[in-house]
Amino acid sequence: MDAPQMKAMTEATRLTREGRLAEATALIQQTLARPATPWRMPDAPPAGEGNGNTPGHYPDPPPALPAGQGTKLRRAIPGWLTRRRTLPSQDGETLVRPNRPATPAVKRPAGRFEAFSYANAVGTRHYRLYVPSSHNGSSLPLVVMLHGGTQDAATFAAATGMNDLAERQGFLVAYPEQPRSANPGKYWNWFVPGHQHRDAGEPSLIAGITRQVTERYGADASRVYVAGFSAGGAMAAVMAAVYPDLYAAVGVHSGVPYAAADNVASGFAAMKQGPSRPARPTARPVPLIVFHGDRDTTVAPANAAGLIGDVLAAASPDGRPGTPPAVVTTGQVPGGHAYTRTRYQDPAGAVLAERWIIHQGGHTWSGGVPHGSYTDPRGPDASAELIRFFDEHAAGNE
């Protein structure tokens, strides 16, 4: 942390102690906008001319690999992921798209993207809900998506393309929305102790929205999931920790582990350096998938390791992360990013956690729509991989 950042952290601490949370948060936001020294994975490719941190600006992509190497088409599962995607090859070397003529786009009837609100003793939160056109009262999975700072529900839905996936595959998507009245930058307050507990603060509102949608639309309670980006990713980790009975799996993109901070200043430190505490086991390990760019200068990639460590500690008999069996594969998106995927398994072979490190990726949603809010369309496709991982995990089947 350089001298101006240290000064900002000291001032933020003072403001927090005086109860001036809004001013402290605004100061942190201004400081985070400054460029910082990129963190580099030991095995990351050399730096290019850009890191994808600026929305809508991308360096020249590397040349595509020859067609036919590592192509994988996922099998269709009723009600879930059926669109063609590229997945890591079994030999763990590369991935490419099939070399075949493009098929004409099929025009599908649009689903409903509606606005609702939920209120409890804590307050009120608005949310958007996508209901696919195929919904006929059947029991569908539900994915709860938590946006990042400066975003809102509609912006996040558009950036991730999750509604399109929901329409194609048949699941519900809820987008709780953080108002400026709760945080000037519309960040979820994951770093405040009052918002880190069950039945309290923002977690109670997000859980209430989850239950309201589940009951109103008859969602499959065994296939309810939560995911988020940046501050939303950090809050998704909170939700998995305090509501392990509500969510069957969790996805965190560019986020921070649960209880890595207890005020604005320590939140800033965790974002810049990673969690300073040891792995913290929770009541029950919730299967986790993590995405993080190794050139992220807003949230340090060390946080991805911290998130994985917490899950492995929760799954360990002695509460320590240990070294469970892991399967490592590498890949290359044609014209896009290389990545390393690590799957951590329990002794029976079930996947406890999965980590994707996107090489030369910044603080962006991997595989998001071009020119979206904090997106990098050069992949890999985080939205599709989230749904694929969630499909592998249903409550009661772990």
Side-chain angles (χ1 to χ4, degrees), residues 345-351:
Q345 302 171 328
D346 65 16
V351 176

Side-chain angles (χ1 to χ4, degrees), residues 193 208 391:
D391 178 43

Side-chain angles (χ1 to χ4, degrees), residues 27-48:
L27 177 60
I28 295 300
Q29 294 166 10
Q30 294 170 8
T31 306
L32 290 177
R34 297 178 58 251
T37 303
W39 182 91
R40 184 170 181 265
M41 288 281 288
D43 59 345

Side-chain angles (χ1 to χ4, degrees), residues 212-290:
Q212 187 176 81
V213 173
T214 301
E215 295 169 3
R216 179 179 294 172
Y217 288 87
D220 184 346
S222 70
R223 293 188 295 168
V224 176
Y225 309 93
V226 62
F229 170 70
S230 192
M235 185 54 77
V238 172
M239 298 306 296
V242 301
Y243 289 98
D245 54 327
L246 188 58
Y247 301 103
V250 56
V252 178
H253 199 314
S254 310
V256 175
Y258 168 62
D262 56 10
N263 55 44
V264 172
S266 60
F268 177 75
M271 290 171 63
K272 285 295 181 182
Q273 301 172 0
S276 59
R277 61 165 175 75
R280 176 171 182 163
T282 53
R284 180 177 71 84
V286 175
L288 165 73
I289 183 168
V290 175

Side-chain angles (χ1 to χ4, degrees), residues 86-366:
T86 51
L87 291 179
S89 58
Q90 292 179 346
D91 58 12
E93 293 180 354
T94 58
L95 94 166
V96 298
R97 293 185 178 93
N99 184 16
R100 62 179 66 180
T103 56
V106 177
K107 190 173 183 179
R108 299 174 182 272
R112 307 193 308 274
F113 195 34
E114 301 176 334
F116 298 97
S117 65
Y118 170 81
N120 63 15
V122 173
T124 301
R125 288 296 181 275
H126 299 296
Y127 67 95
R128 300 294 296 271
L129 177 69
Y130 187 83
V131 181
S133 58
S134 60
H135 181 59
N136 58 6
S138 59
S139 186
L140 298 181
L142 168 63
V143 178
V144 178
M145 296 283 287
L146 303 177
H147 64 77
T150 75
Q151 297 178 320
D152 56 27
T155 299
F156 191 45
T160 60
M162 192 60 76
N163 287 356
D164 178 64
L165 267 176
E167 179 65 22
R168 291 169 181 261
Q169 315 312 325
F171 58 92
L172 303 162
V173 194
Y175 301 87
E177 193 167 81
Q178 179 77 320
R180 292 192 185 279
S181 58
N183 185 289
K186 299 194 288 188
Y187 291 78
W188 297 99
N189 292 302
W190 56 271
F191 48 85
V192 177
H195 300 292
Q196 296 175 348
H197 300 284
R198 186 183 182 96
D199 300 330
E202 292 166 7
S204 73
L205 291 164
I206 296 169
I209 290 171
T210 303
R211 294 186 178 116
Q212 187 176 81
V213 173
T214 301
E215 295 169 3
R216 179 179 294 172
Y217 288 87
D220 184 346
S222 70
R223 293 188 295 168
V224 176
Y225 309 93
V226 62
F229 170 70
S230 192
M235 185 54 77
V238 172
M239 298 306 296
V242 301
Y243 289 98
D245 54 327
L246 188 58
Y247 301 103
V250 56
V252 178
H253 199 314
S254 310
V256 175
Y258 168 62
D262 56 10
N263 55 44
V264 172
S266 60
F268 177 75
M271 290 171 63
K272 285 295 181 182
Q273 301 172 0
S276 59
R277 61 165 175 75
R280 176 171 182 163
T282 53
R284 180 177 71 84
V286 175
L288 165 73
I289 183 168
V290 175
F291 301 88
H292 217 117
D294 66 7
R295 298 297 180 84
D296 190 335
T297 58
T298 300
V299 178
N303 285 289
L307 285 156
I308 295 293
D310 285 354
V311 172
L312 300 184
S316 173
D318 60 5
R320 298 180 181 180
T323 54
V327 177
V328 179
T329 57
T330 58
Q332 172 75 54
V333 176
H337 289 297
Y339 64 84
T340 299
R341 181 180 76 157
T342 307
R343 288 165 65 90
Y344 300 87
Q345 302 171 328
D346 65 16
V351 176
L352 296 167
E354 186 170 316
R355 176 173 58 179
W356 290 69
I357 296 298
I358 297 97
H359 301 304
Q360 299 192 52
H363 193 67
T364 53
W365 185 272
S366 180

